Amino acid sequence: MRKLVALGVIGLFAATAQTAVADENAELEIDGQKFVTKLEAPADSPLSEILSGWRFRNDETQALQTDDFENPAMIFAEYGSELWETADGEAGKSCADCHGDAAESMKGVRASMPKWHEGKKTLFALEDHINWSREEHQKAKPWKWESQEMLAMTSFIGLQSRGMPVNVKTDGPAKEWWEKGKELYYTRVGQLDMACAHCHENNYGNMIRADHLSQGQINGFPVYRLKWQGMGSIHRRFKGCMDNIRATPYKRGSDEFTALELYLASRGQGLSVETPSLRN
């Protein structure tokens, strides 16, 4: 029965495939800065080319991201800049007290996430780094993964890397995590018996109902989704995908989602960081 349901869903891709709702040849430029949203795929990639999710959005959504004044995600980045300067915790320190100007100290951080944390001997997403710093240096309580504060801070820190190429490390101690993420990407789960690859590798560019399927690149996260009317983390998007195929999702911040994040980031190596981006 599960395989019959899955076959029905896969058939839906072909049945609803149609001309793209956006100009997939459009180029992203913000305040005169040009972004890399399309790359020739490396020889070992399962994709023929690497495409940012921005290329799959409709014209109106694409246009909103090109204007920081109109992009609602920028409100979160602005809140993050306030939090950066605000003292917190028993230590009474702000992020700026230790790290100074975020434009300098945080430049390139988002582009390299997730990465191995030598002190904790584990792979850290950006959210993990933020909470570790809060507990270690500010003596403050950690923020919840999807809290407004966390989304604001990840937006602000990510903004400092905007335009830089995604550049994550997949060797050394991170290799095991990358391999785990790859396994998860191709593993069928849920009542619909589907894997990430069914949508984002085999059917990107097609329509499924009202959704224009992208390659699932994560170079823009956290993103403001019009569907959510708010910001969301990479792990929230993972959970939504698992919910859609009627699978039991892993928790935000879990080893499984962090490993999957590393694998997906590696698939988009070289794309420009778009944080904070806008999606449908």
Side-chain angles (χ1 to χ4, degrees):
M1 179 62 182
R2 289 179 63 190
K3 290 192 179 296
L4 289 175
V5 172
L7 287 171
V9 173
I10 297 299
L12 184 61
F13 292 127
T16 59
Q18 53 183 271
T19 303
V21 294
D23 180 4
E24 292 185 22
N25 293 315
E27 299 296 338
L28 175 59
E29 183 174 331
I30 304 174
D31 290 337
Q33 182 181 22
K34 294 183 178 180
F35 289 70
V36 176
T37 60
K38 181 178 181 179
L39 287 169
E40 182 178 343
D44 60 349
S45 174
L47 302 168
S48 59
E49 56 186 352
I50 309 300
L51 301 168
S52 166
W54 181 81
R55 285 181 171 261
F56 295 85
R57 299 310 98 207
N58 60 38
D59 295 339
E60 293 79 7
T61 304
Q62 284 185 341
L64 282 174
Q65 191 173 321
T66 66
D67 188 338
D68 283 346
F69 185 77
E70 296 289 341
N71 185 350
M74 293 304 294
I75 296 174
F76 287 80
E78 290 171 5
Y79 179 34
S81 70
E82 295 177 11
L83 292 171
W84 182 264
E85 301 287 345
T86 302
D88 198 6
E90 293 179 7
K93 292 182 178 181
S94 69
C95 301
D97 287 334
C98 292
H99 299 288
D101 184 359
E104 294 297 329
S105 61
M106 295 294 110
K107 186 176 182 179
V109 170
R110 181 70 191 88
S112 66
M113 292 291 170
K115 65 181 180 181
W116 182 256
H117 190 283
E118 187 59 33
K120 291 294 185 179
K121 302 295 182 184
T122 191
L123 193 72
F124 265 17
L126 180 55
E127 290 86 349
D128 294 312
H129 273 278
I130 291 169
N131 274 338
W132 174 82
S133 186
R134 284 180 58 76
E135 294 180 288
E136 183 75 13
H137 301 298
Q138 293 178 297
K139 308 303 178 186
K141 293 181 179 179
W143 286 325
K144 292 184 178 180
W145 201 271
E146 219 71 38
S147 67
Q148 297 297 294
E149 292 81 6
M150 181 64 85
L151 291 168
M153 188 59 77
T154 53
S155 296
F156 175 67
I157 292 176
L159 180 61
Q160 312 314 312
S161 297
R162 194 168 69 168
M164 297 182 68
V166 173
N167 185 26
V168 293
K169 291 184 177 181
T170 60
D171 57 357
K175 183 178 180 181
E176 181 180 354
W177 290 78
W178 181 87
E179 291 174 344
K180 181 178 181 179
K182 181 178 181 180
E183 180 183 358
L184 289 169
Y185 187 85
Y186 288 103
T187 298
R188 292 173 177 265
V189 294
Q191 185 179 353
L192 300 189
D193 195 35
M194 293 176 66
C196 307
H198 285 123
C199 288
H200 301 297
E201 186 171 311
N202 301 340
N203 284 285
Y204 70 85
N206 289 337
M207 300 292 294
I208 179 169
R209 298 189 177 93
D211 192 13
H212 189 202
L213 292 174
S214 73
Q215 291 182 348
Q217 302 291 353
I218 59 174
N219 55 304
F221 279 84
V223 302
Y224 187 100
R225 287 195 77 198
L226 299 177
K227 177 181 179 179
W228 295 337
Q229 288 295 290
M231 296 293 292
S233 70
I234 298 169
H235 292 197
R236 177 179 179 180
R237 192 69 191 94
F238 291 168
K239 178 183 181 300
C241 283
M242 293 192 75
D243 286 337
N244 288 341
I245 59 174
R246 300 172 191 172
T248 302
Y250 302 110
K251 292 182 179 180
R252 295 174 177 88
S254 64
D255 287 352
E256 290 83 1
F257 275 173
T258 304
L260 182 59
E261 180 181 344
L262 177 63
Y263 177 66
L264 287 180
S266 75
R267 287 169 69 99
Q269 295 272 44
L271 289 177
S272 295
V273 173
E274 297 175 23
T275 307
S277 67
L278 187 73
R279 299 291 187 258
N280 292 114

